[in-house]
């Protein structure tokens, strides 16, 4: 009985945090529309490159792949409480809510999740699932944790060959390392190289930057400019 009570408490706390972020997740839906994921007819009415970034035919839905960070034995960041909040649970709940918002607000969008349960995925597996879905947009969701209450805010990372700064480089390296841990035949570095090659071929880096800036602008409206940690690479 005690174990069941602890489990219910853990799920309740995770749901509360995810619910708070879900109120702001619709911001991402709005940002996606602003960055070119709105229905084709709406995009055609505006010559603004920020609203025509995605190219799609009227008979094909825009595929948005949401990647809930971590999962399985990869717990991610650990929060307060007993039992503690776990990033892997929060990202999964947020992905489900965000996916619902995106499909509700943007009828031309089809949402695919890289995982639907508490599943461990390597970086390569996440990339392969995205490719199989023929993704137009890939968004990985994460929550950070820090012992210092003075460090708060939100930030958007885009994949790039060079890090914005030392902190961004260390965080990206840590995330990629945990995503590829435990599979000797699976090279996380090789997966990143493959993604970068795709980015170069499709000129997706510029469009990623447009979306990242749109997300940060909209989140700043909701959460405050003082918590805007910017776009990083």
């Amino acid at each position: 009985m005690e174990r069941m009570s602890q489990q219910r408490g853990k799920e309740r706390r995770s749901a509360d945090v995810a619910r708070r972020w879900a109120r702001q997740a619709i911001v991402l839906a709005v940002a996606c529309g602003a960055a070119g994921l709105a229905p084709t007819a709406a995009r055609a009415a505006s010559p603004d490159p920020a609203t025509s970034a995605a190219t799609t035919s009227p008979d094909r839905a825009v595929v948005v792949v949401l990647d809930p960070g971590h999962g399985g034995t990869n717990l991610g960041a650990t929060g307060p409480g007993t039992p503690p909040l776990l990033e892997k649970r929060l990202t999964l709940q947020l992905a489900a809510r965000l996916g619902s918002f995106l499909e509700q607000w943007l009828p031309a969008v089809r949402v695919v999740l890289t995982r639907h349960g508490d599943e461990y995925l390597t970086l390569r597996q996440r990339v392969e699932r995205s490719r199989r879905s023929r993704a137009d947009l890939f968004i990985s969701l994460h929550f950070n944790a820090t012992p210092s209450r003075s460090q708060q805010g939100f930030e958007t990372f885009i994949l790039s060959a060079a890090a914005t700064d030392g902190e961004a480089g260390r965080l990206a390296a840590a995330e990629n390392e945990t995503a590829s841990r435990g599979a000797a035949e699976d090279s996380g570095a090789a997966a990143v190289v493959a993604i970068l090659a795709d980015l170069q071929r499709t000129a997706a880096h510029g469009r990623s930057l447009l979306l990242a800036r749109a997300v940060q602008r909209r989140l700043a409206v909701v959460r405050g400019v003082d918590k805007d940690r910017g776009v990083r690479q």
Side-chain angles (χ1 to χ4, degrees):
M1 290 295 293
E2 182 178 353
R3 182 174 299 176
M4 290 178 61
S5 177
Q6 288 180 343
Q7 180 64 25
R8 282 195 295 268
K10 182 191 306 179
E11 293 173 352
R12 194 159 45 241
R13 281 196 301 277
S14 295
D16 288 342
V17 175
R19 191 175 300 113
R20 289 198 297 272
W21 273 92
R23 297 189 190 109
Q24 293 143 23
I26 201 157
V27 165
L28 183 53
V30 174
C32 285
L37 296 181
T40 304
R43 287 204 313 277
S46 173
D48 189 331
T51 59
S52 58
T55 55
T56 180
S57 60
D59 59 347
R60 179 182 179 274
V62 175
V63 179
V64 177
V65 171
L66 299 179
D67 176 43
H70 308 281
T73 56
N74 185 352
L75 306 182
T78 302
T82 306
L85 286 171
L86 297 177
E87 181 182 2
K88 67 173 185 175
R89 292 196 180 96
L90 295 176
T91 56
L92 184 59
Q93 292 177 7
L94 180 60
R97 291 172 184 268
L98 176 57
S100 176
F101 279 134
L102 284 172
E103 291 184 332
Q104 178 182 349
W105 276 60
L106 302 172
V109 164
R110 179 172 70 88
V111 175
V112 176
L113 270 61
T114 55
R115 66 181 179 94
H116 293 271
D118 189 14
E119 178 185 6
Y120 173 83
L121 293 175
T122 65
L123 182 59
R124 181 178 293 278
Q125 287 172 322
R126 295 173 193 272
V127 172
E128 288 176 350
R129 292 187 181 190
S130 177
R131 284 177 172 166
R132 283 201 302 268
S133 301
R134 299 180 63 196
D136 296 287
L137 176 65
F138 180 90
I139 301 175
S140 188
L141 301 170
H142 291 267
F143 288 82
N144 291 342
T146 173
S148 172
R149 289 186 176 273
S150 64
Q151 295 187 22
Q152 300 181 38
F154 51 91
E155 57 196 356
T156 303
F157 278 79
I158 63 173
L159 188 61
S160 175
T164 307
D165 51 45
E167 181 185 359
R170 287 189 294 273
L171 179 58
E175 293 291 349
N176 290 334
E177 192 275 333
T178 56
S180 58
R181 182 186 303 156
E185 74 284 358
D186 184 357
S187 170
V192 172
V193 168
I195 300 171
L196 285 170
D198 282 348
L199 287 174
Q200 292 173 348
R201 281 196 298 270
T202 62
H205 185 272
R207 296 196 294 272
S208 297
L209 188 57
L210 281 174
L211 176 60
R213 287 172 175 168
V215 168
Q216 288 297 118
R217 283 196 302 269
R218 297 297 300 175
L219 281 173
V221 172
V222 177
R223 294 185 57 81
V225 177
D226 59 316
K227 292 186 172 58
D228 184 353
R229 294 171 59 86
V231 176
R232 300 189 176 195
Q233 303 182 34

